[in-house]
Amino acid sequence: MKTYQSRKDVPNEEKWDLTDLFANEEAWQEKLDECSKLADKLKEYDGKITDGSSLLHYLKTQEELSFHIRKVFAYTMFLSDIDTRDSHAQKLSSKTTKLGVKVSESTSFFMPFLLSLEEETLRSYLSEEKELEYFEDELWKSFRFKDHVLTKEKEELLSQLSESFQAPGDTFNMLNNADIQFGEVTNEAGERVQLTRGMYSKLIEDENRDVRKEAYKAYYKPYVELNNTIATTLAAEVKTNATMAKVRNYDSAIHKALFSDNIDLTVYTQLIDAAKKHIEPLHQYARLRKEKLGVDELRQYDLNAPIVSGVKAEIPYDEAYDKMIEALKPLGTDYVERLKEFKEKRYIDVRETPAKRSGAYNMGVYGVHPFVLLNHHDDLNSLFTLVHEMGHALHSHYSSKHQPQITANYRIFVAEVASTVNEILLIHYMLNQTTDTKMRAYLLNHFIEQFRGTFFTQVMFADFEKQTHERAEAGEPLDAESLNELYEELFRTYNGPDIVFDDEVKYGWSRIPHFYRAFYVYQYATGFASAIQIASRILEQKEGALESYLTFLQSGSSDDPLELLKRAGVDLTTSEPVEAAMKTFSELVDELNQL
């Protein structure tokens, strides 16, 4: 594995070329100043949009600002991410942040104004200016919220209280990220060191069970000690969601959360019902895990330990890229050519260097191209990460190429589909290529773990969110005891009777930041199930499967997410996609059992 002590040592072809955004810092500063002037211009429209012409000019100016500010923000973000210690990059980022605040203040009047209009008035504005056709769909999407907007006085009051409404999440984030200190554990050198989150993610996968247990106990210790405090923050968050839904005339908190994407509640409930109905293969996998680990009792700290060891193939970056191209050939010639272009034109920042942001991401910049950040380690996990992020990147590329700016960004609901399709195609390619039994078992297990983490665990979280909000809406108590009992019951339902529970299991809910962004996590599971069905259709070469998928990648947010997925052959208003995914999971577990 290649390691670099300095960014200067990384070959240029493995680093971003940020001149695609701005030739130099002076050009960036000029664009920043231009954006500031555009923000001032937008503020002048407050109270002065009285006809179709003034509405059109406001929207065109806003879109122009949006186009430029995305580039301005991306430039400073990328500079900061390649070296988080760079004080000059931080200084530029603070300028971007100030600009963002200014833009938010300058445009804050518009949505209340739009939703204060009568429908007839908006229609008259649209009829006055033909160019408003470009903005019409987005205006009507926003106008859907009219029934959930209150009087001007009440909206102003809620706006003044908005910081208070954020307090439960802010408090949890401060506790979770700043105040919580984990206990000490023994590192590989036999030294006692303070446990960190990054360290925990590695230790909980260690082959030594004593190491896993010690890390597990240390990690959960502060959550156990702060159980009542965190229960109070989550209860406040849930009750706030329930209250705001009622105040804004929604049937429930979950209806409010699903409204913006026009998602029917049955999509959510069918997901949970189907997962529970087909949960037995996951329980079977737990029994297999217990057998392979050779433990008398399977415990939570055994669930991430490797059951297929000794597979540590070194795959240099160039070889990994070639493997990806071979694996993704079923997506067609143009897709493959675009993949090659990303590497050749330096759209990817490849190597881990000191103080570089951890993890990986894709960020599309409309009018330029997507940028991908990696921390590539020349191993199997890095290959899967590469393939995953390039799925996001090609989704961004095709949407930007085929959509106008207003609909180029795809919604969160469909965001994980393209990345997961790529991973599935890679696994199938590697399974077909390998003759090594251990490697085959490793790949099957990798896929099963993806299912467990991205599908079953997220459905369990979604179930927990649904039940906690229902209890709040029914006036039932949400305290530490009731939250612990609910989570423990759900954990047993989903993970099966073969796991022996340590006391820490029931506190698992208290460490999940996603619960402060209600009804978000279910989208990971629906996206995963959708990707399973799409990849299967492509691999089986079903008529129109590839064409409909490529059309989906080109569609951005040009329609509601459910409609876009239907065109790709996935109808989440029925239980079929989830049922099909459950069938795939069962087959994977069966084959791994046989191996």
Short mmCIF file of all heavy atoms in Angstrom, two decimals, residues 417-458:
data_model
loop_
_atom_site.label_atom_id
_atom_site.label_comp_id
_atom_site.label_asym_id
_atom_site.label_seq_id
_atom_site.Cartn_x
_atom_site.Cartn_y
_atom_site.Cartn_z
N VAL A 417 -29.11 5.13 -4.79
CA VAL A 417 -29.45 4.09 -5.78
C VAL A 417 -28.27 3.82 -6.70
O VAL A 417 -27.82 2.68 -6.85
CB VAL A 417 -30.70 4.49 -6.59
CG1 VAL A 417 -30.93 3.49 -7.74
CG2 VAL A 417 -31.93 4.54 -5.68
N ALA A 418 -27.73 4.86 -7.32
CA ALA A 418 -26.67 4.67 -8.32
C ALA A 418 -25.41 4.09 -7.70
O ALA A 418 -24.73 3.24 -8.30
CB ALA A 418 -26.36 6.00 -9.01
N SER A 419 -25.05 4.54 -6.50
CA SER A 419 -23.85 4.04 -5.84
C SER A 419 -23.99 2.56 -5.49
O SER A 419 -23.04 1.78 -5.63
CB SER A 419 -23.56 4.85 -4.58
OG SER A 419 -24.69 4.87 -3.72
N THR A 420 -25.19 2.16 -5.06
CA THR A 420 -25.41 0.76 -4.68
C THR A 420 -25.50 -0.14 -5.90
O THR A 420 -25.02 -1.28 -5.88
CB THR A 420 -26.68 0.63 -3.82
OG1 THR A 420 -26.61 1.57 -2.74
CG2 THR A 420 -26.82 -0.77 -3.25
N VAL A 421 -26.11 0.34 -6.99
CA VAL A 421 -26.12 -0.43 -8.24
C VAL A 421 -24.69 -0.78 -8.65
O VAL A 421 -24.38 -1.92 -9.01
CB VAL A 421 -26.85 0.35 -9.37
CG1 VAL A 421 -26.53 -0.27 -10.73
CG2 VAL A 421 -28.35 0.36 -9.14
N ASN A 422 -23.80 0.20 -8.56
CA ASN A 422 -22.40 -0.04 -8.92
C ASN A 422 -21.76 -1.11 -8.04
O ASN A 422 -21.04 -1.99 -8.53
CB ASN A 422 -21.61 1.26 -8.81
CG ASN A 422 -21.73 2.12 -10.04
OD1 ASN A 422 -22.62 1.91 -10.86
ND2 ASN A 422 -20.86 3.10 -10.17
N GLU A 423 -22.00 -1.04 -6.75
CA GLU A 423 -21.41 -2.03 -5.84
C GLU A 423 -21.94 -3.43 -6.13
O GLU A 423 -21.18 -4.40 -6.07
CB GLU A 423 -21.71 -1.65 -4.39
CG GLU A 423 -20.89 -0.48 -3.87
CD GLU A 423 -20.84 -0.44 -2.36
OE1 GLU A 423 -20.23 -1.34 -1.76
OE2 GLU A 423 -21.41 0.50 -1.79
N ILE A 424 -23.21 -3.53 -6.44
CA ILE A 424 -23.80 -4.85 -6.75
C ILE A 424 -23.18 -5.42 -8.02
O ILE A 424 -22.84 -6.60 -8.10
CB ILE A 424 -25.33 -4.74 -6.88
CG1 ILE A 424 -25.94 -4.36 -5.53
CG2 ILE A 424 -25.94 -6.06 -7.38
CD1 ILE A 424 -27.37 -3.89 -5.62
N LEU A 425 -23.01 -4.56 -9.03
CA LEU A 425 -22.39 -5.02 -10.28
C LEU A 425 -20.95 -5.46 -10.04
O LEU A 425 -20.49 -6.45 -10.62
CB LEU A 425 -22.44 -3.91 -11.33
CG LEU A 425 -23.84 -3.51 -11.84
CD1 LEU A 425 -23.73 -2.36 -12.82
CD2 LEU A 425 -24.54 -4.70 -12.48
N LEU A 426 -20.24 -4.75 -9.16
CA LEU A 426 -18.86 -5.14 -8.84
C LEU A 426 -18.83 -6.50 -8.15
O LEU A 426 -18.00 -7.36 -8.50
CB LEU A 426 -18.21 -4.09 -7.93
CG LEU A 426 -16.82 -4.46 -7.39
CD1 LEU A 426 -15.81 -4.59 -8.54
CD2 LEU A 426 -16.34 -3.43 -6.37
N ILE A 427 -19.71 -6.71 -7.20
CA ILE A 427 -19.73 -7.99 -6.48
C ILE A 427 -20.03 -9.13 -7.44
O ILE A 427 -19.37 -10.18 -7.40
CB ILE A 427 -20.76 -7.94 -5.33
CG1 ILE A 427 -20.21 -7.08 -4.19
CG2 ILE A 427 -21.07 -9.34 -4.81
CD1 ILE A 427 -21.19 -6.81 -3.08
N HIS A 428 -20.99 -8.94 -8.31
CA HIS A 428 -21.33 -10.00 -9.28
C HIS A 428 -20.15 -10.27 -10.21
O HIS A 428 -19.85 -11.43 -10.52
CB HIS A 428 -22.57 -9.60 -10.09
CG HIS A 428 -23.85 -9.90 -9.39
ND1 HIS A 428 -24.47 -11.14 -9.44
CD2 HIS A 428 -24.64 -9.14 -8.61
CE1 HIS A 428 -25.58 -11.11 -8.73
NE2 HIS A 428 -25.70 -9.90 -8.21
N TYR A 429 -19.47 -9.21 -10.64
CA TYR A 429 -18.31 -9.38 -11.52
C TYR A 429 -17.22 -10.18 -10.80
O TYR A 429 -16.66 -11.13 -11.36
CB TYR A 429 -17.78 -8.00 -11.93
CG TYR A 429 -16.43 -8.05 -12.61
CD1 TYR A 429 -16.31 -8.43 -13.95
CD2 TYR A 429 -15.27 -7.72 -11.90
CE1 TYR A 429 -15.06 -8.47 -14.56
CE2 TYR A 429 -14.03 -7.76 -12.51
CZ TYR A 429 -13.92 -8.14 -13.84
OH TYR A 429 -12.69 -8.19 -14.45
N MET A 430 -16.93 -9.81 -9.55
CA MET A 430 -15.86 -10.47 -8.81
C MET A 430 -16.23 -11.92 -8.46
O MET A 430 -15.37 -12.81 -8.48
CB MET A 430 -15.52 -9.68 -7.55
CG MET A 430 -14.90 -8.31 -7.87
SD MET A 430 -14.40 -7.39 -6.40
CE MET A 430 -12.91 -8.29 -5.93
N LEU A 431 -17.49 -12.17 -8.18
CA LEU A 431 -17.94 -13.54 -7.91
C LEU A 431 -17.76 -14.41 -9.16
O LEU A 431 -17.37 -15.58 -9.07
CB LEU A 431 -19.39 -13.55 -7.46
CG LEU A 431 -19.68 -13.09 -6.03
CD1 LEU A 431 -21.18 -12.95 -5.80
CD2 LEU A 431 -19.09 -14.07 -5.00
N ASN A 432 -18.04 -13.82 -10.31
CA ASN A 432 -17.89 -14.57 -11.56
C ASN A 432 -16.43 -14.80 -11.92
O ASN A 432 -16.10 -15.76 -12.61
CB ASN A 432 -18.58 -13.82 -12.71
CG ASN A 432 -20.09 -13.87 -12.59
OD1 ASN A 432 -20.65 -14.79 -11.99
ND2 ASN A 432 -20.78 -12.87 -13.15
N GLN A 433 -15.54 -13.91 -11.45
CA GLN A 433 -14.13 -14.00 -11.80
C GLN A 433 -13.34 -14.93 -10.89
O GLN A 433 -12.35 -15.53 -11.30
CB GLN A 433 -13.49 -12.60 -11.74
CG GLN A 433 -13.99 -11.64 -12.82
CD GLN A 433 -13.54 -12.05 -14.20
OE1 GLN A 433 -12.36 -12.30 -14.44
NE2 GLN A 433 -14.47 -12.15 -15.13
N THR A 434 -13.77 -15.06 -9.64
CA THR A 434 -12.95 -15.78 -8.67
C THR A 434 -13.21 -17.29 -8.68
O THR A 434 -14.35 -17.73 -8.90
CB THR A 434 -13.17 -15.24 -7.24
OG1 THR A 434 -12.23 -15.86 -6.37
CG2 THR A 434 -14.58 -15.54 -6.73
N THR A 435 -12.17 -18.05 -8.47
CA THR A 435 -12.30 -19.50 -8.30
C THR A 435 -11.88 -19.89 -6.89
O THR A 435 -11.91 -21.07 -6.53
CB THR A 435 -11.39 -20.24 -9.31
OG1 THR A 435 -10.02 -19.78 -9.15
CG2 THR A 435 -11.84 -19.98 -10.74
N ASP A 436 -11.50 -18.89 -6.10
CA ASP A 436 -11.05 -19.13 -4.73
C ASP A 436 -12.24 -19.13 -3.78
O ASP A 436 -13.00 -18.17 -3.71
CB ASP A 436 -10.05 -18.03 -4.31
CG ASP A 436 -9.53 -18.25 -2.91
OD1 ASP A 436 -8.69 -19.15 -2.71
OD2 ASP A 436 -10.00 -17.54 -2.00
N THR A 437 -12.42 -20.22 -3.06
CA THR A 437 -13.58 -20.38 -2.17
C THR A 437 -13.58 -19.32 -1.08
O THR A 437 -14.64 -18.77 -0.75
CB THR A 437 -13.57 -21.78 -1.53
OG1 THR A 437 -13.55 -22.76 -2.56
CG2 THR A 437 -14.81 -21.97 -0.66
N LYS A 438 -12.42 -19.04 -0.53
CA LYS A 438 -12.35 -18.05 0.56
C LYS A 438 -12.72 -16.66 0.05
O LYS A 438 -13.44 -15.91 0.72
CB LYS A 438 -10.96 -18.06 1.17
CG LYS A 438 -10.83 -17.12 2.38
CD LYS A 438 -9.50 -17.29 3.11
CE LYS A 438 -9.57 -18.47 4.06
NZ LYS A 438 -8.40 -18.50 4.97
N MET A 439 -12.23 -16.31 -1.13
CA MET A 439 -12.58 -15.02 -1.70
C MET A 439 -14.08 -14.93 -1.99
O MET A 439 -14.73 -13.90 -1.75
CB MET A 439 -11.78 -14.76 -2.99
CG MET A 439 -12.19 -13.49 -3.73
SD MET A 439 -12.01 -11.97 -2.77
CE MET A 439 -10.26 -11.65 -2.98
N ARG A 440 -14.65 -16.02 -2.49
CA ARG A 440 -16.08 -16.03 -2.77
C ARG A 440 -16.87 -15.82 -1.47
O ARG A 440 -17.83 -15.06 -1.43
CB ARG A 440 -16.49 -17.35 -3.43
CG ARG A 440 -17.94 -17.38 -3.88
CD ARG A 440 -18.28 -18.58 -4.75
NE ARG A 440 -19.61 -18.43 -5.30
CZ ARG A 440 -19.90 -17.75 -6.39
NH1 ARG A 440 -18.94 -17.16 -7.08
NH2 ARG A 440 -21.15 -17.64 -6.82
N ALA A 441 -16.45 -16.51 -0.42
CA ALA A 441 -17.11 -16.36 0.87
C ALA A 441 -16.98 -14.93 1.38
O ALA A 441 -17.94 -14.35 1.93
CB ALA A 441 -16.54 -17.34 1.88
N TYR A 442 -15.80 -14.34 1.19
CA TYR A 442 -15.58 -12.96 1.62
C TYR A 442 -16.54 -12.01 0.90
O TYR A 442 -17.14 -11.12 1.52
CB TYR A 442 -14.13 -12.55 1.35
CG TYR A 442 -13.85 -11.09 1.64
CD1 TYR A 442 -13.43 -10.69 2.90
CD2 TYR A 442 -14.01 -10.12 0.66
CE1 TYR A 442 -13.19 -9.36 3.18
CE2 TYR A 442 -13.78 -8.78 0.92
CZ TYR A 442 -13.37 -8.40 2.18
OH TYR A 442 -13.14 -7.07 2.45
N LEU A 443 -16.66 -12.18 -0.41
CA LEU A 443 -17.54 -11.30 -1.20
C LEU A 443 -19.00 -11.46 -0.80
O LEU A 443 -19.74 -10.48 -0.68
CB LEU A 443 -17.34 -11.57 -2.69
CG LEU A 443 -15.98 -11.19 -3.27
CD1 LEU A 443 -15.81 -11.78 -4.66
CD2 LEU A 443 -15.82 -9.67 -3.31
N LEU A 444 -19.42 -12.70 -0.63
CA LEU A 444 -20.80 -12.95 -0.19
C LEU A 444 -21.05 -12.30 1.17
O LEU A 444 -22.10 -11.67 1.39
CB LEU A 444 -21.08 -14.45 -0.11
CG LEU A 444 -21.15 -15.20 -1.44
CD1 LEU A 444 -21.17 -16.71 -1.19
CD2 LEU A 444 -22.39 -14.79 -2.23
N ASN A 445 -20.08 -12.46 2.06
CA ASN A 445 -20.23 -11.89 3.40
C ASN A 445 -20.24 -10.36 3.35
O ASN A 445 -21.00 -9.72 4.10
CB ASN A 445 -19.10 -12.39 4.30
CG ASN A 445 -19.36 -12.07 5.76
OD1 ASN A 445 -20.41 -12.42 6.30
ND2 ASN A 445 -18.45 -11.39 6.40
N HIS A 446 -19.43 -9.79 2.47
CA HIS A 446 -19.42 -8.34 2.30
C HIS A 446 -20.80 -7.84 1.88
O HIS A 446 -21.32 -6.85 2.41
CB HIS A 446 -18.39 -7.94 1.24
CG HIS A 446 -18.34 -6.46 0.96
ND1 HIS A 446 -17.51 -5.60 1.62
CD2 HIS A 446 -19.06 -5.70 0.08
CE1 HIS A 446 -17.71 -4.36 1.17
NE2 HIS A 446 -18.64 -4.41 0.23
N PHE A 447 -21.41 -8.53 0.93
CA PHE A 447 -22.74 -8.18 0.42
C PHE A 447 -23.78 -8.34 1.53
O PHE A 447 -24.65 -7.47 1.72
CB PHE A 447 -23.07 -9.06 -0.78
CG PHE A 447 -24.13 -8.50 -1.69
CD1 PHE A 447 -24.70 -7.27 -1.48
CD2 PHE A 447 -24.54 -9.24 -2.81
CE1 PHE A 447 -25.68 -6.77 -2.33
CE2 PHE A 447 -25.51 -8.75 -3.66
CZ PHE A 447 -26.08 -7.51 -3.43
N ILE A 448 -23.69 -9.41 2.29
CA ILE A 448 -24.62 -9.65 3.39
C ILE A 448 -24.50 -8.55 4.44
O ILE A 448 -25.51 -8.05 4.97
CB ILE A 448 -24.37 -11.04 4.02
CG1 ILE A 448 -24.83 -12.14 3.06
CG2 ILE A 448 -25.07 -11.18 5.37
CD1 ILE A 448 -24.37 -13.54 3.45
N GLU A 449 -23.26 -8.13 4.73
CA GLU A 449 -23.06 -7.07 5.71
C GLU A 449 -23.61 -5.74 5.21
O GLU A 449 -24.10 -4.93 5.99
CB GLU A 449 -21.58 -6.94 6.06
CG GLU A 449 -21.06 -8.03 6.99
CD GLU A 449 -21.74 -7.97 8.36
OE1 GLU A 449 -22.05 -6.87 8.84
OE2 GLU A 449 -21.97 -9.04 8.96
N GLN A 450 -23.52 -5.52 3.90
CA GLN A 450 -24.15 -4.34 3.31
C GLN A 450 -25.65 -4.36 3.56
O GLN A 450 -26.25 -3.36 3.95
CB GLN A 450 -23.92 -4.31 1.80
CG GLN A 450 -22.72 -3.52 1.35
CD GLN A 450 -22.82 -3.26 -0.14
OE1 GLN A 450 -22.92 -4.19 -0.94
NE2 GLN A 450 -22.78 -2.02 -0.52
N PHE A 451 -26.27 -5.50 3.32
CA PHE A 451 -27.69 -5.67 3.57
C PHE A 451 -28.01 -5.37 5.03
O PHE A 451 -28.96 -4.65 5.34
CB PHE A 451 -28.11 -7.12 3.27
CG PHE A 451 -28.89 -7.28 2.00
CD1 PHE A 451 -28.31 -7.82 0.87
CD2 PHE A 451 -30.23 -6.93 1.95
CE1 PHE A 451 -29.03 -8.00 -0.30
CE2 PHE A 451 -30.96 -7.10 0.79
CZ PHE A 451 -30.37 -7.64 -0.34
N ARG A 452 -27.22 -5.94 5.91
CA ARG A 452 -27.51 -5.80 7.34
C ARG A 452 -27.41 -4.34 7.78
O ARG A 452 -28.28 -3.82 8.48
CB ARG A 452 -26.54 -6.66 8.17
CG ARG A 452 -26.90 -6.72 9.65
CD ARG A 452 -26.17 -7.86 10.34
NE ARG A 452 -24.73 -7.64 10.43
CZ ARG A 452 -24.14 -6.98 11.44
NH1 ARG A 452 -24.87 -6.49 12.42
NH2 ARG A 452 -22.83 -6.85 11.46
N GLY A 453 -26.34 -3.66 7.33
CA GLY A 453 -26.14 -2.29 7.77
C GLY A 453 -27.00 -1.27 7.05
O GLY A 453 -27.56 -0.37 7.68
N THR A 454 -27.13 -1.41 5.73
CA THR A 454 -27.82 -0.40 4.94
C THR A 454 -29.33 -0.66 4.87
O THR A 454 -30.10 0.28 4.69
CB THR A 454 -27.25 -0.35 3.51
OG1 THR A 454 -25.83 -0.25 3.58
CG2 THR A 454 -27.78 0.83 2.74
N PHE A 455 -29.73 -1.91 5.02
CA PHE A 455 -31.16 -2.21 4.95
C PHE A 455 -31.75 -2.50 6.33
O PHE A 455 -32.50 -1.70 6.87
CB PHE A 455 -31.42 -3.39 3.99
CG PHE A 455 -32.88 -3.64 3.81
CD1 PHE A 455 -33.62 -2.92 2.89
CD2 PHE A 455 -33.55 -4.59 4.58
CE1 PHE A 455 -34.99 -3.13 2.74
CE2 PHE A 455 -34.91 -4.80 4.44
CZ PHE A 455 -35.63 -4.08 3.51
N PHE A 456 -31.40 -3.63 6.93
CA PHE A 456 -32.08 -4.05 8.15
C PHE A 456 -31.89 -3.07 9.31
O PHE A 456 -32.86 -2.75 10.02
CB PHE A 456 -31.62 -5.45 8.55
CG PHE A 456 -32.13 -6.54 7.66
CD1 PHE A 456 -31.28 -7.19 6.79
CD2 PHE A 456 -33.47 -6.91 7.69
CE1 PHE A 456 -31.75 -8.20 5.96
CE2 PHE A 456 -33.94 -7.92 6.86
CZ PHE A 456 -33.08 -8.57 5.99
N THR A 457 -30.67 -2.61 9.53
CA THR A 457 -30.44 -1.69 10.65
C THR A 457 -31.20 -0.38 10.44
O THR A 457 -31.80 0.15 11.38
CB THR A 457 -28.94 -1.40 10.82
OG1 THR A 457 -28.27 -2.64 11.12
CG2 THR A 457 -28.69 -0.41 11.94
N GLN A 458 -31.22 0.10 9.20
CA GLN A 458 -31.94 1.36 8.94
C GLN A 458 -33.45 1.18 9.07
O GLN A 458 -34.15 2.10 9.51
CB GLN A 458 -31.57 1.89 7.55
CG GLN A 458 -30.08 2.10 7.31
CD GLN A 458 -29.40 2.93 8.38
OE1 GLN A 458 -29.97 3.89 8.89
NE2 GLN A 458 -28.17 2.56 8.74
#
